[in-house]
Amino acid sequence: MQSKDTNRAQSTMGNIFSNLDWRNYIVYIAFIGIIIYFAVTIGDQGFLTVNNLLNIARQTAMIALMALAMTFVISSGEIDLSVGSVTALASLTGALAIQAGYGVIGGLAAGLGTGVIIGLVNGLLVTRLAIPSFLVTLASMEAVRGMAMWITDTAPVTIVNPTFNYIFGAGDIGPIPILLVWLLVFVVFAHILYRKTPFGRQVLATGGNENAAKFSGVNTKKIKLLVFIGTGFMAGLAGLLYAGRMNAGRFSFGEGDELSVIAAVILGGTSLFGGTGTIIGTLVGALMMGTINNGLIIMGLDVSQQMIISGIIIVLAVAFGKKQKKA
Amino acid sequence: MQSKDTNRAQSTMGNIFSNLDWRNYIVYIAFIGIIIYFAVTIGDQGFLTVNNLLNIARQTAMIALMALAMTFVISSGEIDLSVGSVTALASLTGALAIQAGYGVIGGLAAGLGTGVIIGLVNGLLVTRLAIPSFLVTLASMEAVRGMAMWITDTAPVTIVNPTFNYIFGAGDIGPIPILLVWLLVFVVFAHILYRKTPFGRQVLATGGNENAAKFSGVNTKKIKLLVFIGTGFMAGLAGLLYAGRMNAGRFSFGEGDELSVIAAVILGGTSLFGGTGTIIGTLVGALMMGTINNGLIIMGLDVSQQMIISGIIIVLAVAFGKKQKKA
Amino acid sequence: MSELVLEMCNISKSFNSVNVLNNVGFQLKKGEIHALMGGNGAGKSTLMKILTGVYSADSGEILIEGKKAEINNYNEAIDHKISMIFQEFSLVPTLTVAQNIFLNREDKTKLGLINDKECIKKTAKLLQELGVDISPVSIVQDLGVGFWQMTEIAKSLSQEAKILIMDEPTSSLTEKETDVLFDFMERLKNKGISIIYISHRMEEIFKICDRITVLRDGENIITEDCENTDLDTVISHIVGGEVASFEWKERDYSLEAPPLLQVKNLNVSNQLENIEFYIQPGEVLGVAGLMGSGRTELVRALFGIDHKDSGDIYINGEKKLINNQQDAIKANMALLPEDRRVQGLVLQHSVKDNMVLPIIDRVKKGLLVNEKIANNISNEYVDRLNIKTDNIYKQISLLSGGNQQKVVLAKWLATEPDILLLDEPTIGVDIGAKTEIIEIIRLMANSGKAILVISSELNELLAVSDKIMVMHKGKISKTINRKDIASEEEIQYAIQGY
Amino acid sequence: GGEADEGTNQENGETDDKGKVSEISGPLTVNPDIPDMEVLDIGPNGEEAGSIKDLELSEEELKEIKDGNYTAAIVMHYSGTDYMKAAVNAMETTFEQMGIEVIAVTDANFSAETQVNNIESVLAKDPDIMVSVPVDAEATASAYRRAVDQGVKLVFMDGAANGLEAGKDYISIVTGDNYGNGVVAAELMAEQIGEEGKIGMLYHDVNFFVTRNRAEAFEETILEKYPNIEIVAKEGFTDENTGEAVGSAILTRDGDIDGIFAPWDVPAEGVMSAVRTAGKADQVVITTVDLGTNAAISIAADGPIKGLGAQLPYDQGVAQSMLGGYAVLDKEAPPYLVSPAIKVTKENVLESWELIYGEEAPQTVQDAMAQ
Ligand SMILES: Nc1ncnc2c1ncn2[C@@H]1O[C@H](COP(=O)(O)OP(=O)(O)OP(=O)(O)O)[C@@H](O)[C@H]1O
Ligand SMILES: Nc1ncnc2c1ncn2[C@@H]1O[C@H](COP(=O)(O)OP(=O)(O)OP(=O)(O)O)[C@@H](O)[C@H]1O
Ligand SMILES: [Mg+2]
Ligand SMILES: [Mg+2]
């Protein structure tokens, strides 16, 4: 809402892309800039190898998957801080189900079910009791992490099912990591859902102006409930992927992911105030953060230096992208 | 913004408080409920001793102080995620200044100066380059934590100046901890600033409708710059208080504080979308979270149980408060 | 023709024990256009919101086609084929015009996906029929209020309704758009659709409506066929007494005095071209033009909101650089913006807080805001503009539309500027208050200020201005002294660009 | 690495903490001044513990290593304590002495998935040697497996990843004697409170081998050896910054307590602050593990922390780097190497500092001692 008036004077582009405002492009420009920078400086140190680029994709997949769902939540004007904790609990319930002999399907059901239930609870608290989602999901972030610690008393649960580990994380199809396949499938799905379906439109309308959406017959409560179930589901999936990638469920998975996920979404050009956004931007936002982390490690910097520089890069990238556009 | 219209149909109170909506009262009711609950269940285990209640105040002071400043930031429609990291860096710069022989004043200047400079940078990036504050402060949260690690290569810096340790943290005036004095002074100051001065009004107007504020001659950029300097300053102070309390500066101070601080503000009834809020609510929100933590530890629960229960309590408290009001 | 499609009986409603509607009745016949009239805060919008399920009545019942209907939310109203254009717009600002118009009833492809192309095509057609020159893919928040309102109208017209409620649909429109709208309404009426029409523009009522119901202070005053009554009678029903009609009065001010505000060679890319004019102390300059002719853009540029490509502004003969609002305010200018919700008010704040925001630095004692002064100023303007509110602490979004507009006006009057730019100051304000506002503008001018008024209501503009400047496609096409204008048609002609 | 690193010194004591390298010549060993003490730890797979003092790289071997132009990566779980910092510092210095280039140092901040990412990123640079502390033996195992498959020589610190075999997949594990340190802390506690009274303990409420081991050792030692000491409070924590809150709660509930144990120095500092706040600095004894600066000051200045058990991170680090050398040379090494637990009290705090960190105690500690 804040920006409603700021670009009045700018001419609209008068074409189908007019609803992507400039901010959505920053991330693409910045991403390319960063890749080029690393390619030049550390290309010879392994950054440009196919394997390393696939590494980036693998490392980013979970954040990106959650960020896809988060794009819907944020577009609807809400926020979900619980995703990181949900990955942990889902990795454990999934692993326990497999350990108990329910196989891949059982593990899948347990992990996704965990996510969906938590999403449902979050959604109901937000829509029925009208508690701000920041509070609801902050509370569930804490409670769910507690459950993840409690369920096995912080012990990791090993997954010895090779099929599971193959499908959820460690496997490759030809040269392509399965994680990348998961990611691409969901990106396409999310993009269509976001841009092309009534549901996506209703999400945007709800976030753009909840009352107006209601007056157009949009069941905004249902929409909000669904977007929370969406993040729950995707966090559940991300938890299974963590588990598959590391052959174990663990209570500490996903700690701090909520901020990375939200950052990817905002970096991608989605407004924290709801109503506008893009899925592809989100994907690129996530990839960009993953690339920065990877590149700085390959550069051989200290952790402290990595942190300082990655913070600065993010701001510079956005600032630079902005300048480009103005010129 | 979402809630702009939701309680339109609800009756306002038709008196001077009509612009404080019901949410602002929940936290008081909930806080009292929680105190009563703990008094009944663990009153005999020391919960009700003066010393323990003072402990709660002491443990909450830093979060509460930052939350006061954060109330302004959130009311202006922005967010500051960097506060936790700033406490760490300020604790170190303060400690280093004292170690270098600049005394209490030098330490104070270094710590507060650190905070103010970071706040200024955040504010300038938000206002001049129009980068969303979530991104700016997420980046500075990371970069500043990196600096705190880098400045002494993660070594803590001991403060052997007893005056400093007395004034900033460990001391008491009569039976009253100095931390509590700091807190009360700033609560009164912040309350007046928020409610009674043109600055406070302009902050609220900026967050309520930035355009309308601009048209009314409010220099919204200046206002936003100032609120970020405010959180920087308070985080600097909190860092000095951490340092005084622990007799050392350390890079890991304040980790995760940003979420606790924001939670205190939202719990206190300030809208995450800007435009409305209260200082006293924020104070009580912080005290409530501190009380829950303290009570659950005294109960002797596992960390995992503590996390589960404190998450549930927060949601229940808000839900309960809400019900009370409707009746 | 006399079949009743809607009957509302004995509707009462109060908000925290303030009675807003008192046993109000309302009947609507099939295929009629029924005007619902009343002063600001009379309860018109509230009555319609009860009909559409946004509010629930405390007592009374609603019959639709003779059957009792329970309407508890807007969706149930849609089920009864009732559709409403809300006074506080109900568009999603972040979506495009086409997306808004077809929100929740988009065309689908075979795969069940949204067929945006089809929606855009239909929108383009609809907009063309309405004579609106906007692209279907413009984002609504980038458009001016006028287009915003046209989008809203297009949206409701494209819905299949039996009862169409229009709550001040034309408040930001010029005559041209209004006429197109009336054609449309005529056609709908002939299809048997019933329309409830709310407006404060009196002439419109007699142009288009079949019957009139007047409310005053939440009570039924009269329901009458238009043929059997006349303008003055209706006005006296609305205000409950006599009202002076808009009349131009020649005012005395020095024509020789150096201009208080002078603008030279102002250019804003794509929007304004070579604007030059001046206003003398004590002069009221009226600006007329079609929608999108650049009137709003002109005042925005003057006030430092939009970037100027070139242009010099002289105040009292001194050249001033005005690059942002602060500069403008420092130069003692004030701008009353055209869109009260977006630019005028902080909706979740109180009447008082809104009123004193521009002068907050002046209502303090020492460092603190002096609540007593703030209250006094607020109360003074509430009285002076006759703002209907329970008290000055009431949240402004709970005031009626016209009363909100009066607060916006009051807020800028209270700044006591030397140069006052008013962009549609009387949108949604009732007939009684309009004459008072015109009087206030004259008084301000008499005290030597320079005033620029933009208004789409010609009779109002003619009543208040000393000089009228006509804009067309971003240029000044004509400037005429009020004295030399013989009739409304003359100026209307100039506006259309001939 | 420098070709010119030839000199005559076999001690690491002459490198400063910035990692400036002294000239060395002759064989490389860890500090021979380390006391020979009984080691109580046994390996995760029941391995008998060897001593790091047995490691040695001869001049010829060093030459061979230098000529190989090897690279190494250090993949930490966390590097924010004095202890870990000293270890990293020792590794960097020693690798440099050995002519091995350190191409990356990473810190996972206790996150298993971050560590896996770090390992993958580091592998892109194709190091020859990787020294690492696994965050989680289970969750990171497959990533280490990938490193092994890529031909990287692994040296573990503090614990190995599951499913990897010593001598085959990795060369060996170097660890402090965590169990022994817990015992030292318990014995110090008993001494200080006169072998009777009520005590409380904090434990790291996370399934982390290293820290759990200490708390278990502490508890078992008290229970078995000191029947007159009662553990009245046992509180978990996960965030090391919450030591103060937990300590305060213990003091609130059991005001007449005589001592509190914390599993490492950072939470112990929090407890110290709680004790001071409660005005019980003279009554409550704190013992812990790891000699951090602030803990050292408290010990020196008769503060609440009276003593602690300490590992030898610097020499551990040296040993780890040397084992990297063993690995590239395919030289046989013992699978499980332990550095003994050092008992630090006021009497020996300054000497212990030198022994542990390979440098003089900081001025602040010396000042505290002088008072
Ligand atoms: N939700 C509410 N809470 C409190 N008062 C309300 C609320 N809604 C409307 N009112 C009050 O009811 C009265 C009637 O308002 P309403 O909007 O129906 O007037 P109106 O006839 O449409 O006026 P206008 O011509 O200015 O639009 C006003 O005094 C208004 O302040
Ligand atoms: N064809 C168009 N497509 C998209 N936007 C347009 C078009 N024409 C005008 N606009 C935008 O709409 C706004 C102008 O609307 P507005 O109705 O406020 O114009 P105006 O000249 O101020 O006239 P008025 O005050 O009579 O409404 C400007 O922001 C302009 O950029
Ligand atoms: Mg109305
Ligand atoms: Mg206009």
Side-chain angles (χ1 to χ4, degrees), chain C residues 39-46 49 87-88 167-168 198 200 340 399-403 428:
Chain C
N40 294 134
K44 307 178 295 291
S45 298
T46 304
K49 284 180 181 170
Q87 192 178 8
E88 48 300 89
D167 195 349
E168 301 192 36
I198 301 175
H200 291 293
R340 62 171 172 263
L399 261 58
S400 82
N403 285 304

Side-chain angles (χ1 to χ4, degrees), chain A residues 134-147:
Chain A
F134 187 93
L135 271 190
V136 166
T137 59
L138 187 79
S140 64
M141 163 181 156
E142 180 142 329
V144 171
R145 178 73 62 192
M147 286 178 214

